[in-house]
Amino acid sequence: MKRIEFICSLSKKNNIGGETIKNDYLYEYLRERNFDINLLDFENHKKNKFILLLKCTYSIINPFSKRIILSKASRSSYFYLKLYHYLNIWNKKLYYFVIGGNFHNFLLNNDFDIKYYMNIEKIYVETKKMKDILNENLNLKQVEYLPNFKNFIIKDRSNKQINFPLECVFFSRIEEKKGVELIFNMLSEINKENIKVKVDFYGPIGNDYKNIFEKKIKNYNEVKYCGILNSKEEKTYDKLSRYDLMLFPTYWEGEGFPGVIIDAYISSLPVVASNHNFNSEFIKSQETGFLFNLEDKSGLEKTMKEIINAKEKLKFMRKKAFEESKKYNINLVLNGVIYDREK
C-alpha cells in the first residue's frame, strides 16, 4: 500500500471555496489510485491549535510514510514547513501544491524565510509567471507550473442561441472584492433606458457583505440571487451553460488561477474578467473571454457594451471555451505528477 501524508483543508458546509474544492478533487484522485492516506484536515482542528500542532508533528516524524503532500494557503503552509524543516528525521519528500496568487510576494517581501522552501522536493504553482519569478529571482529550481484542475466529464455545451437581454452569471463567493459592486455599477449605467443585461448570482455570501448585497438586489429587477451550486455535480455545468457569459470582475489580492474560470469553460461559457493578477494567463482575449482594465472605472461597462454590439461572436467563443476546458481535466494535469507507486 502506498502510504502518504495529505495536509490540507477539505470542504465543509460553512467553508466552501477555491482551496477546499481543489483539495476535494486531489483527495478523491489519490483515493481512486489506492493510496493509503493519512489525512490531516486543518478544518477539523481550527478550535484546538495544540491538537493541530501535535498532528502536524506526527505527520512528519512517524516512520510509516515516505511522502507528504501539502496543499494549503500560503500562511498555513509556512507554519507546517517550519516544522518540516526541523523535524524531518526520516527525510520524507514533500510536494507542495501552492494555493492562490500571493506566494511569490511573501517570499520577495521577506515575509517568509526562503530557507524553509529550499529542501522541498517539488513546489507546484498555478501560474507560469509565478513559476518564472520563483525560478529566476529566487533560484527555487524545484518550482514547476501546474495549473488548477477539475474532475469532470468532457462535454460540448456550446451549441446555444445567444439571448437578448444578455443573461450573465456570477459564480463565486459573493464579496465586494470579488467585483460584485462593479457589476451593480455596470448594470446601473448599461440598463438606464432598457434592460440589456441580466445577472444571476450563485455562491456563498460573505458575512461582512450579506446585508449590503441583500439590499442591493432588491433595487435591481434584472438581478437574482439563486443560492449555492455544487461545482462537483455535472448538472451544475448544464445549468451554467444556459447563460451567455460568466462575469468575474475580481480584485481580490489572493487570486491565483481561479477555479471559476475552469467552471466557465466546462460550461462552454466565455468569461468577462478583470485584468487582475494572472487572469490574462488563463483567458484568451476575444477568444475564450474578455479582459477589462481595473484602473478604468467604466471598464466593465465598456466591455459589456462592446459585447452587446457584437453578441453573435459569443457563439464562436463558446466553442473556444469548451475546447479550452480540456486542458484542465484532473487526469491530464496530474498525469505523471503523482505516481501510482512508492519510489
Side-chain angles (χ1 to χ4, degrees), residues 14 41-53:
N14 61 347
D41 183 352
F42 270 46
E43 293 303 305
N44 292 336
H45 306 288
K46 276 185 168 181
K47 295 180 180 178
N48 195 326
K49 301 297 183 184
F50 180 68
I51 295 296
L52 179 62
L53 174 62

Side-chain angles (χ1 to χ4, degrees), residues 16-19 21 99-101 126 148 169-186 199 201-207 209 213 246-261 263 271-277 279 292 294 300:
I16 301 171
E19 175 182 343
I21 291 170
I99 304 288
E126 295 178 335
N148 203 349
V169 61
F170 178 94
F171 181 48
S172 186
R173 188 166 184 83
I174 297 172
E175 294 181 342
E176 185 172 351
K177 287 190 175 182
K178 289 290 187 174
V180 175
E181 289 292 320
L182 296 180
I183 293 174
F184 283 120
N185 292 341
M186 175 272 293
V199 181
F201 285 88
Y202 295 88
I205 306 172
N207 291 333
Y209 191 62
F213 179 71
M246 176 86 77
L247 301 183
F248 190 59
T250 183
Y251 52 94
W252 180 57
E253 60 276 5
E255 300 288 6
F257 185 161
V260 66
I261 294 175
D263 292 327
V271 186
V272 178
S274 60
N275 63 347
H276 181 61
N277 278 14
N279 283 349
F292 69 91
L294 266 177
L300 178 57

Side-chain angles (χ1 to χ4, degrees), residues 307-324:
I307 295 167
I308 289 167
N309 291 332
K311 64 181 186 297
E312 289 305 308
K313 186 179 180 180
L314 294 178
K315 292 181 180 179
F316 155 81
M317 296 178 72
R318 289 179 67 91
K319 192 72 174 179
K320 286 287 187 180
F322 160 67
E323 294 295 336
E324 193 74 4

Side-chain angles (χ1 to χ4, degrees), residues 109-172:
N109 297 332
N110 295 314
D111 295 318
F112 295 168
D113 190 333
I114 197 170
K115 74 180 181 183
Y116 298 119
Y117 299 87
M118 299 303 292
N119 295 320
I120 297 174
E121 184 72 12
K122 293 289 183 184
I123 300 174
Y124 299 114
V125 298
E126 295 178 335
T127 80
K128 293 175 182 176
K129 184 177 179 181
M130 189 187 296
K131 170 192 173 292
D132 291 343
I133 292 169
L134 294 169
N135 285 163
E136 296 165 15
N137 295 26
L138 294 168
N139 203 34
L140 286 170
K141 299 303 182 185
Q142 76 273 47
V143 175
E144 295 183 4
Y145 166 64
L146 192 76
N148 203 349
F149 48 79
K150 300 269 181 173
N151 189 9
F152 60 95
I153 297 167
I154 295 171
K155 178 182 175 181
D156 188 353
R157 298 174 171 88
S158 63
N159 187 19
K160 172 192 166 301
Q161 292 299 312
I162 306 304
N163 297 296
F164 193 80
L166 287 176
E167 296 186 2
C168 302
V169 61
F170 178 94
F171 181 48
S172 186

